[in-house]
Amino acid sequence: MRPKSLLAGLLLITLATPLAAQERGWLDSGKQWVQQFWSDDSGQWLGRINGAVSNHNYKGVLVFVQGDNINTLAIEHRMDNGVENLRMRTLSGMPRELVKKGGKIQRGSSEDSAQSFPASASGQITFSHFASAEGNKWYKIRLAEKARVAGRSTQVVEIKAEDAWRYSYRLWLDTETGLPLKVITLDERGFAVEQFMFTQIEITPVPGKGKAPKRRLPPPLKSPFKEVKGFQVIASESRAGSTQYLFSDGLSSISLYVEPSKLKEKAQMHRDGVNGLMLGDGNIRYVAMGKVPVATLEKILAQTQR
């Protein structure tokens, strides 16, 4: 008999029944307490993201993967008097650069000032939409394993979609600061759609005493779609006879373009992790795009035409 088994047997013999029952009750209560603490802690980790961005400057090298495309980017982020400044430039492929100051984004390259920068990359590095996942009923959040990224200790947080209409995410958050060092976007089957990871990073606190922005939980969303629930119109714009609608569930977003067209046509595209569907019925052309499953776009277009 192993020492641990022998010890357990001796304890069972010597302990009185009431004491044993009391011990089991204490252990059960302890397990419940630990499980509750573990569950609540996932929201606390997400809550650190905004504070991590606003209270820290960082720079490093980031690898961004979308399907067969792999881009290496140099990232420099700093806070100046409460204003966020972000500079991203490619280290592989065609030279491209993105500069963000406050809410304004400028794109450019050494060859063509109109050269577009991968929009999904710039969106991911802002991180704030992940912090708002707490309290969003369309996603379930839980803590996973601990790991190392770019030589730093991290805690993995899973943001899992509660249905097949949206994507899920895995975040590797820096243990010391709460800054996301790696993010993987997963489709409805659990396969990676895109991912980014810092391979090198230097993080320094912003001079002075910073204050993390107050977190605001997203309001309950009422969807205009009968089956694809959770998406609400958050913006719309009309121009030259066409109208664009922007829908969001608080984490994922979908753009819908509606414009006159006499063509009957149908097309599907996939680029930079974004799916797109176009459908023309001879009177109106509908185009739906978003980092969501194709089935979601199909259902939205079908319900929009009714």
Side-chain angles (χ1 to χ4, degrees):
M1 182 179 293
R2 292 179 296 178
K4 289 185 177 179
S5 300
L6 178 60
L7 179 59
L10 291 174
L11 286 174
L12 287 174
I13 295 174
T14 55
L15 287 175
T17 301
L19 183 59
Q22 182 179 2
E23 189 75 8
R24 284 195 300 272
W26 181 86
L27 289 174
D28 291 340
S29 298
K31 289 178 180 178
Q32 293 176 3
W33 182 85
V34 170
Q35 291 172 354
Q36 181 66 34
F37 177 79
W38 181 266
S39 176
D40 290 344
D41 202 34
S42 60
Q44 294 176 11
W45 275 95
L46 289 180
R48 298 178 62 193
I49 293 177
N50 282 340
V53 174
S54 61
N55 294 328
H56 294 89
N57 297 325
Y58 56 88
K59 62 180 179 179
V61 176
L62 179 144
V63 176
F64 195 78
V65 181
Q66 294 173 319
D68 296 331
N69 297 321
I70 302 176
N71 292 293
T72 305
L73 311 173
I75 308 293
E76 184 175 0
H77 171 277
R78 70 180 188 277
M79 299 295 295
D80 292 332
N81 297 320
V83 178
E84 182 182 17
N85 292 270
L86 176 68
R87 181 171 181 252
M88 304 172 61
R89 57 186 177 86
T90 56
L91 298 178
S92 58
M94 179 179 292
R96 291 176 291 177
E97 183 177 32
L98 177 146
V99 177
K100 176 184 176 184
K101 186 172 184 179
K104 297 182 179 180
I105 295 179
Q106 298 176 347
R107 297 179 177 89
S109 74
S110 59
E111 298 181 7
D112 182 1
S113 61
Q115 175 69 39
S116 64
F117 198 92
S120 50
S122 60
Q124 288 278 38
I125 307 304
T126 57
F127 302 135
S128 59
H129 58 300
F130 292 123
S132 65
E134 182 190 3
N136 190 321
K137 71 177 184 178
W138 306 109
Y139 298 89
K140 184 177 181 179
I141 306 167
R142 78 173 190 91
L143 290 183
E145 72 276 11
K146 295 182 182 295
R148 282 174 60 82
V149 176
R152 299 178 67 93
S153 173
T154 66
Q155 171 65 60
V156 181
V157 178
E158 294 183 348
I159 305 177
K160 183 174 177 58
E162 290 282 54
D163 55 34
W165 300 122
R166 60 209 89 224
Y167 286 164
S168 300
Y169 306 87
R170 280 173 60 87
L171 280 59
W172 280 252
L173 304 182
D174 183 53
T175 302
E176 181 181 347
T177 65
L179 188 72
L181 301 183
K182 179 179 178 180
V183 175
I184 296 181
T185 303
L186 304 169
D187 65 15
E188 68 277 21
R189 299 168 298 170
F191 295 113
V193 174
E194 68 177 23
Q195 57 182 303
F196 78 76
M197 178 179 69
F198 281 99
T199 57
Q200 302 175 28
I201 189 168
E202 297 178 12
I203 306 175
T204 57
V206 173
K209 187 177 181 180
K211 180 180 286 188
K214 186 177 181 181
R215 283 187 298 145
R216 296 181 180 179
L217 297 180
L221 298 176
K222 295 182 179 180
S223 175
F225 308 114
K226 183 177 179 181
E227 296 180 63
V228 183
K229 298 180 179 179
F231 288 93
Q232 181 190 42
V233 178
I234 60 173
S236 63
E237 181 182 6
S238 297
R239 182 181 301 176
S242 64
T243 304
Q244 176 188 359
Y245 301 92
L246 181 62
F247 302 90
S248 176
D249 67 355
L251 191 58
S252 301
S253 60
I254 299 171
S255 293
L256 175 64
Y257 300 86
V258 182
E259 60 185 359
S261 175
K262 295 181 179 181
L263 299 177
K264 289 187 176 182
E265 53 189 347
K266 186 175 182 179
Q268 179 178 332
M269 60 82 70
H270 176 84
R271 182 178 179 183
D272 293 342
V274 177
N275 288 314
L277 283 181
M278 179 182 66
L279 182 62
D281 61 8
N283 294 306
I284 299 176
R285 177 190 291 127
Y286 303 90
V287 180
M289 303 178 65
K291 200 177 295 182
V292 295
V294 174
T296 304
L297 302 179
E298 291 176 337
K299 190 66 66 175
I300 285 177
L301 287 185
Q303 295 182 38
T304 300
Q305 286 184 292
R306 294 175 186 175

